[in-house]
Amino acid sequence: MKVELVSVGTELLLGDIVNTNTAYLSKELAALGFGVFRQTTVGDNRERLIKTLESAFLENDTVIITGGLGPTDDDITKECVAEYFGRDFYFHEYSWVKILERLTRSGRNIITENNKKQAMIPEGAIVLENFCGTAPGIIIEENNKRIILLPGPPREMRDMFEKSVKPYLEKFSNKHFISKYVRFYGIGESLLETKIKDIMDNQTNPTLALYAKTGEVLLRITASDEDKNECEQLISEQLKEIEKRVGEYIYLVGDEDISGTQTEMNNVVANLLIENNFTISVAESLTGGKISSMLVEKSGISESFLEGVVCYSNKSKINTLGVNEETLEKFGAVSEEVAKEMALGVANRLGADFAVATTGIAGPNSDESGKPVGLAYIGIYSKGEVSAKEVVFTGDRELIRYRTSVEAFAEIRKNILEKL
């Protein structure tokens, strides 16, 4: 099966809406063993959409369209598809009942005539119920071609794909495609590729793909076979070889749910704390609360996370954390010595097992010390031991704060693992 994805909507062309639908559908189709040969975005224009359909079916047997199924005049997807296949419309009573139910539940007291447009279905089409919205989906099959129409709102589209389209497509594939994702920290994409280049150059099954994240690298390993267990075995063998070469940089292996974020280091640390009944406190100057915010993204962290202190001023460092005034005067706020005292001070406040502190220069300008923008110190308290790490990051203010936060989580993770 050769697939083209078509996204309909002038708002997509203007950049008013970020198109997340194609990324989702491409991943799902790859997992089913279908190749996406092209992605096209077209505005709400009848002539251009029909030309897009003609072009798509010259090279593909399957077209999946998202968007343009609403009740207004500029929602033209169904009309264009019906014209292309030469189909008339009929009024689908079941869809209309469901549309009325949803509009009524949402508090709509006045139902306008154009709402009926969404219940008009091309003759001979398969109707897909929309459990999250009003626009039903549609599948038309003709002469070994098929077109699938899905609503544009991502929540509606994903629910309909999972419940209706995925089972429909599975009958066209006799292979399983399974992917595992490996997250690396402390090694760049270029160096990682160099270390596993021979594997990537000779890949057949499984296949490998590298993706650069902010300060991290993601590796996808995908295996295909008629037997799911064989897929898992192929991935396991490939992963063992990769671990032999660059295992020290791997911090997480998992399924697709770990692939979409810029980092999972905060969740890894949160899990380590929760699973081992460890506690942590945080003192932030440079990062200004970012570490604390990333920690509380994890449900259940309240049992481990004792407190987060934002101590931007020297006065706060002295009065809240007990940093010595002499240390600040001698070494400056941005120093290894101050980072250590901050970590020790916040750990002692509530008796945390672990603590982390950050101090540095986020920019865009340096302070009176003349130290470079991007310089940061991360203080770590680890069950009675205190240490600090110096790092220098480039980029704008937000990127420096983000990179320092992730580096702090990496240091916490290392120290926790050493105590296990």
Side-chain angles (χ1 to χ4, degrees):
M1 181 182 288
K2 297 171 66 177
V3 182
E4 178 159 338
L5 301 179
V6 177
S7 305
V8 178
T10 302
E11 67 277 8
L12 297 171
L13 291 175
L14 295 176
D16 293 333
I17 295 177
V18 176
N19 189 355
T20 60
N21 286 342
T22 52
Y24 169 84
L25 288 171
S26 292
K27 283 186 177 181
E28 290 294 324
L29 292 167
L32 291 170
F34 304 130
V36 175
F37 285 75
R38 187 166 58 190
Q39 299 176 359
T40 303
T41 302
V42 61
D44 303 306
N45 181 287
R46 183 182 297 270
E47 182 180 350
R48 292 172 192 163
L49 181 50
I50 290 176
K51 286 183 178 179
T52 298
L53 294 176
E54 293 170 350
S55 173
F57 279 117
L58 286 176
E59 302 179 49
N60 305 282
D61 52 41
T62 303
V63 176
I64 300 177
I65 302 182
T66 57
L69 300 181
T72 60
D73 288 341
D74 62 348
D75 292 307
I76 57 171
T77 298
K78 274 191 304 186
E79 288 78 1
C80 292
V81 169
E83 180 179 335
Y84 176 81
F85 283 99
R87 305 287 180 99
D88 292 326
F89 284 95
Y90 73 99
F91 186 70
H92 193 249
E93 292 285 352
Y94 180 82
S95 292
W96 179 236
V97 170
K98 291 300 177 181
I99 290 169
L100 288 175
E101 288 178 356
R102 180 159 290 278
L103 291 175
T104 302
R105 285 201 305 270
S106 66
R108 291 275 295 275
N109 296 320
I110 300 176
I111 308 300
T112 57
E113 188 65 24
N114 63 356
N115 288 121
K116 289 186 177 181
K117 177 183 176 182
Q118 292 183 301
M120 299 301 295
I121 305 296
E123 291 180 347
I126 300 169
V127 182
L128 310 177
E129 185 169 349
N130 189 337
F131 295 96
C132 301
T134 57
I138 291 169
I139 299 175
I140 295 177
E141 300 173 316
E142 185 175 299
N143 297 327
N144 294 318
K145 297 178 181 178
R146 63 197 60 84
I147 192 164
I148 302 170
L149 311 187
L150 298 173
R155 178 170 172 267
E156 297 179 32
M157 185 277 297
R158 294 185 183 200
D159 185 78
M160 188 178 292
F161 183 89
E162 188 65 32
K163 291 177 179 175
S164 301
V165 178
K166 190 173 182 178
Y168 167 80
L169 292 174
E170 283 175 340
K171 66 184 180 183
F172 296 100
S173 176
N174 60 357
K175 279 191 175 184
H176 297 285
F177 284 72
I178 296 177
S179 295
K180 291 289 183 183
Y181 294 84
V182 187
R183 300 201 71 128
F184 296 82
Y185 188 82
I187 185 171
E189 183 182 16
S190 298
L191 180 56
L192 177 57
E193 183 182 40
T194 299
K195 288 183 175 291
I196 61 172
K197 191 175 189 306
D198 60 310
I199 299 176
M200 299 195 70
D201 287 345
N202 297 308
Q203 60 180 307
T204 51
N205 186 25
T207 60
L208 281 69
L210 288 174
Y211 304 91
K213 299 286 186 176
T214 303
E216 299 186 13
V217 186
L218 180 73
L219 172 68
R220 189 195 72 215
I221 308 174
T222 301
S224 63
D225 197 88
E226 294 180 7
D227 185 343
K228 285 186 177 181
N229 293 329
E230 181 62 22
C231 289
E232 296 284 358
Q233 183 62 31
L234 289 168
I235 291 173
S236 178
E237 292 172 359
Q238 189 69 278
L239 185 56
K240 286 178 182 177
E241 179 59 31
I242 292 169
E243 286 174 336
K244 287 179 184 178
R245 303 187 188 194
V246 287
E248 67 268 31
Y249 302 107
I250 295 173
Y251 77 90
L252 185 62
V253 178
D255 297 322
E256 187 179 350
D257 56 353
I258 73 161
S259 69
T261 57
Q262 288 300 318
T263 187
E264 285 290 321
M265 192 69 79
N266 54 323
N267 290 320
V268 168
V269 169
N271 284 330
L272 283 171
L273 292 167
I274 294 168
E275 292 166 3
N276 294 284
N277 296 314
F278 289 147
T279 57
I280 189 170
S281 292
V282 179
E284 301 183 68
S285 182
L286 167 69
T287 48
K290 188 173 288 290
I291 294 172
S292 297
S293 177
M294 292 172 73
L295 260 182
V296 299
E297 289 176 10
K298 179 66 179 180
S299 175
I301 194 61
S302 58
E303 294 298 318
S304 295
F305 184 26
L306 299 183
E307 68 172 342
V309 178
V310 177
C311 44
Y312 227 66
S313 68
N314 285 351
K315 186 175 181 180
S316 176
K317 293 178 178 67
I318 294 168
N319 294 338
T320 306
L321 303 179
V323 174
N324 289 318
E325 191 169 353
E326 293 80 6
T327 306
L328 285 162
E329 291 176 355
K330 183 177 181 179
F331 299 102
V334 180
S335 63
E336 175 183 341
E337 291 76 11
V338 168
K340 286 181 178 179
E341 290 191 15
M342 288 172 64
L344 179 60
V346 78
N348 287 340
R349 279 171 55 88
L350 296 176
D353 298 314
F354 295 89
V356 61
T358 60
T359 180
I361 302 173
N365 302 310
S366 183
D367 58 15
E368 64 278 359
S369 70
K371 294 174 181 176
V373 171
L375 172 66
Y377 290 93
I378 299 168
I380 298 290
Y381 173 88
S382 176
K383 285 185 168 289
E385 299 178 0
V386 183
S387 61
K389 181 176 183 178
E390 177 186 303
V391 292
V392 179
F393 294 117
T394 58
D396 61 20
R397 184 178 179 84
E398 179 59 27
L399 181 58
I400 290 169
R401 292 176 61 237
Y402 172 79
R403 291 292 305 277
T404 303
S405 299
V406 177
E407 184 70 27
F409 279 112
E411 286 298 304
I412 299 166
R413 171 178 174 268
K414 182 179 71 174
N415 277 269
I416 293 174
L417 293 176
E418 289 174 353
K419 299 299 182 184
L420 294 180

